[in-house]
């Protein structure tokens, strides 16, 4: 189920049209699945899926100042209220470069 969610988000990101700070999701070809639903309200993409022990999980995505942001990550236990786990999460990228040195012995079979 988790891998389907990841692919859904990736596909929606690839096929969306984002301009500056606006988020325009195109869900016309999207078909809801049992336990996995994506909706758009304003500029927020919300994905809700079924978790363990009948709980529900929810992610809300936005674009803020050109940065993809998880506005809210929350969970709702069976029959309970939504509990916020995290807000305003942004990606952090690190690039490491270097030169790998190989000895002559390592290149021979």
């Amino acid at each position: 189920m988790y891998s389907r969610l990841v692919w859904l988000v990736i596909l929606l990101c690839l096929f969306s049209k984002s301009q500056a700070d606006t988020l325009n999701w195109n869900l016309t070809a999207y078909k809801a699945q049992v336990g996995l639903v994506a909706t758009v309200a304003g500029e927020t993409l919300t994905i809700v899926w079924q978790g363990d022990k009948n709980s529900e999980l929810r992610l809300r995505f936005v674009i803020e100042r050109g940065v993809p942001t998880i506005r809210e990550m929350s969970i709702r236990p069976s029959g309970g209220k939504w509990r916020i786990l995290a807000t305003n999460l942004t990606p952090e990228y690190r690039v490491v470069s270097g030169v790998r040195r190989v000895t002559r012995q390592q290149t021979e079979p």
Side-chain angles (χ1 to χ4, degrees), residues 4-65:
R4 281 193 233 165
L5 173 67
V6 171
W7 281 110
L8 173 66
V9 171
I10 290 170
L11 289 173
L12 288 173
C13 287
L14 290 175
F15 293 113
S16 69
K17 297 177 183 177
S18 59
Q19 303 169 352
D21 288 338
T22 62
L23 182 63
N24 300 313
W25 296 102
N26 182 353
L27 296 179
T28 55
Y30 170 72
K31 295 177 186 170
Q33 300 177 18
V34 175
L36 177 63
V37 177
T39 58
V40 174
E43 296 179 356
T44 303
L45 169 66
T46 302
I47 300 175
V48 179
W49 71 98
Q50 194 68 36
D52 290 338
K53 300 179 184 176
N54 294 325
S55 64
E56 286 183 297
L57 296 122
R58 178 175 66 190
L59 286 175
R60 291 186 172 161
F61 295 94
V62 296
I63 300 289
E64 189 171 275
R65 292 184 302 277

